[in-house]
């Protein structure tokens, strides 16, 4: 699962100090929600914001002040740093609950629509850490469609795309919200095939989650997927990618066995994933991988059905 903290920002001293938060809170206190908000002076206030760096987990009062600050200001520097601090604190299970109970998820979630890509990324990272808590997912699911659209339409291999993919991966660890991604499956395969190594790994983590759910097997196998997908079943493909592709195939086969679909030829459209996975070319690639030098790869291949 995801949930890694944004360590780089912590090391850079970007966690907001309580004193700095309280100072900004007092200055912004009387402003109306949704207004223009307090704006920092160019340098001194920004320095004050980072001087009181916190290594400890923030308490309830500090988190509440930080959420108020995030909601009250339009200053992109403050917004980004507040999101980083909230995201780091959301990596702790106790704070995942506290932030939800303080009404923080909608405050953070509203920032994924910010045109500033760095702010959008930090908001996605914070939601990703919060999504480790299953109860939080109930509130975060309202953003799934928007995150899917951003992942598919945003710059390929970008930090925003990867942050969105990590959030979607966490949101699909259980079967509860997987159905929300059904209409995006074909496009996710396109990102898989066009993205770099890091993007491929993250998309495959997501697809592996979906492939474990028999209710998603039909949607996956019906997806229109370019034949270049089979190039991933190659001994020269990096192990972290190859093992996930094989796990994906294994999960699909297991789902079909449970449904009794392997004994009867299912009806799937031409050009669909089904015809790629259960065609002769894929079978040849599997036979070749059975001779792979890596024991983990060979083990994965041996449990797949023979074609």
């Amino acid at each position: 699962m995801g949930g890694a903290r944004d360590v780089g920002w912590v090391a850079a001293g970007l966690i907001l100090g309580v004193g700095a938060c309280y100072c900004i809170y007092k200055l912004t206190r009387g402003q109306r929600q949704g207004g223009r908000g307090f704006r920092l002076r160019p340098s001194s206030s920004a320095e004050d914001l980072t001087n009181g760096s916190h290594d400890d987990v923030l308490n309830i009062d500090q988190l509440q002040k930080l959420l108020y600050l995030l909601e009250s200001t339009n200053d992109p520097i403050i917004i980004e740093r507040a999101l980083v601090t909230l995201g780091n604190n959301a990596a702790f299970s106790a704070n995942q609950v506290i932030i939800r109970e303080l009404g923080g998820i909608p405050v953070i979630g509203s920032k994924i629509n910010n045109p500033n890509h760095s702010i959008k990324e930090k908001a996605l990272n914070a939601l990703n850490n919060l999504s480790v808590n299953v109860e939080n997912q109930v509130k975060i699911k309202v953003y799934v469609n928007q995150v899917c659209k951003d992942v598919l339409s945003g710059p390929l291999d970008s930090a925003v795309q990867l942050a969105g993919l990590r959030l979607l991966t966490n949101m699909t660890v259980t079967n509860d919200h997987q159905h929300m991604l059904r209409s995006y499956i074909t496009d996710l395969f396109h990102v898989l095939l066009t993205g770099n190594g890091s993007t491929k790994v993250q998309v495959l983590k997501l697809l592996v989650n979906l492939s474990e759910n028999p209710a998603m097997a039909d949607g996956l196998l019906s997806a229109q997927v370019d034949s270049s997908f089979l190039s991933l079943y190659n001994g020269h493909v990096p192990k972290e990618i190859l093992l996930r592709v094989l796990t994906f195939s294994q999960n699909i086969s297991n789902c079909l066995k449970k449904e009794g679909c392997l004994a009867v030829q299912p009806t799937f459209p031409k050009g669909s994933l089904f015809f790629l996975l259960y065609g002769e070319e894929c079978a040849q690639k599997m036979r070749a991988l059975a001779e792979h030098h890596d024991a983990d790869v060979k083990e994965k291949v041996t449990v797949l059905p023979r074609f």
Side-chain angles (χ1 to χ4, degrees):
M1 285 175 53
R5 287 181 282 172
D6 198 330
V7 177
W9 280 96
V10 176
L14 293 178
I15 299 182
L16 294 171
V18 177
C21 289
Y22 185 67
C23 175
I24 301 299
Y25 167 72
K26 293 291 285 184
L27 287 171
T28 59
R29 185 177 176 183
Q31 297 180 5
R32 295 176 60 187
Q33 180 175 338
R36 294 184 60 82
F38 173 75
R39 291 188 177 276
L40 285 178
R41 292 190 298 273
S43 59
S44 61
S45 294
E47 291 174 0
D48 292 342
L49 196 64
T50 58
N51 280 343
S53 178
H54 263 268
D55 293 326
D56 298 328
V57 182
L58 300 186
N59 62 35
I60 295 177
D61 289 340
Q62 293 162 347
L63 288 169
Q64 187 171 32
K65 292 168 185 174
L66 191 55
L67 287 167
Y68 182 87
L69 169 64
L70 180 61
E71 193 172 26
S72 302
T73 183
N74 289 328
D75 189 295
I77 295 175
I78 301 179
I79 292 172
E80 187 171 344
R81 289 172 175 167
L83 287 169
V84 169
T85 305
L86 286 165
N88 290 336
N89 276 265
F92 298 93
S93 57
N95 278 348
Q96 291 164 5
V97 176
I98 292 170
I99 291 172
R100 180 186 73 241
E101 293 179 345
L102 289 174
I105 291 177
V107 176
I108 295 169
S110 67
K111 304 306 178 185
I112 68 171
N113 292 317
N114 195 293
N116 183 314
H117 282 193
S118 187
I119 289 175
K120 184 188 290 282
E121 177 204 352
K122 303 308 184 295
L124 289 168
N125 287 339
L127 289 177
N128 180 45
N129 284 350
L130 287 166
S131 70
V132 174
N133 181 291
V134 176
E135 290 184 54
N136 286 353
Q137 291 191 3
V138 176
K139 293 186 176 295
I140 295 173
K141 70 179 182 180
V142 300
Y143 305 108
V144 166
N145 285 329
Q146 183 61 50
V147 173
C148 285
K149 292 174 183 177
D150 289 344
V151 163
L152 300 174
S153 63
L156 185 65
D157 303 326
S158 66
V160 171
Q161 186 178 65
L162 287 171
L165 286 168
R166 285 192 292 268
L167 174 56
L168 294 175
T169 300
N170 267 1
M171 291 294 292
T172 55
V173 168
T174 67
N175 297 349
D176 295 342
H177 313 299
Q178 291 184 357
H179 64 280
M180 300 181 71
L181 278 71
R182 185 178 293 273
S183 62
Y184 302 105
I185 291 175
T186 292
D187 291 324
L188 285 171
F189 274 105
H190 178 73
V191 174
L192 168 66
L193 297 178
T194 55
N196 62 20
S198 297
T199 300
K200 280 180 166 58
V201 168
Q202 200 58 56
V203 176
L204 283 169
K205 288 181 180 180
L206 173 54
L207 290 175
V208 166
N209 283 352
L210 299 180
S211 68
E212 292 175 344
N213 183 1
M216 295 297 295
D218 181 76
L220 289 166
L221 290 169
S222 299
Q224 294 291 303
V225 180
D226 190 85
S227 60
S228 62
F229 174 73
L230 293 180
S231 67
L232 299 178
Y233 295 83
N234 188 297
H236 299 295
V237 169
K239 182 178 176 180
E240 62 179 351
I241 294 175
L242 182 56
L243 285 178
R244 287 184 171 88
V245 170
L246 293 172
T247 300
F248 174 79
S249 294
Q250 181 182 348
N251 289 345
I252 290 290
S253 293
N254 290 341
C255 287
L256 291 178
K257 286 178 183 177
K258 289 178 183 178
E259 299 296 322
C261 293
L262 287 179
V264 180
Q265 183 73 9
T267 301
F268 293 105
K270 291 287 185 181
S272 66
L273 179 65
F274 176 83
F275 283 94
L276 293 179
L277 290 182
Y278 294 93
E280 179 57 29
E281 183 180 353
C282 188
Q284 291 176 1
K285 289 181 174 292
M286 292 296 187
R287 288 191 287 268
L289 288 174
E291 307 300 324
H292 198 277
H293 62 85
D294 187 273
D296 293 332
V297 172
K298 291 176 72 172
E299 182 181 358
K300 283 286 184 184
V301 175
T302 56
V303 299
L304 287 165
R306 298 289 180 178
F307 302 111

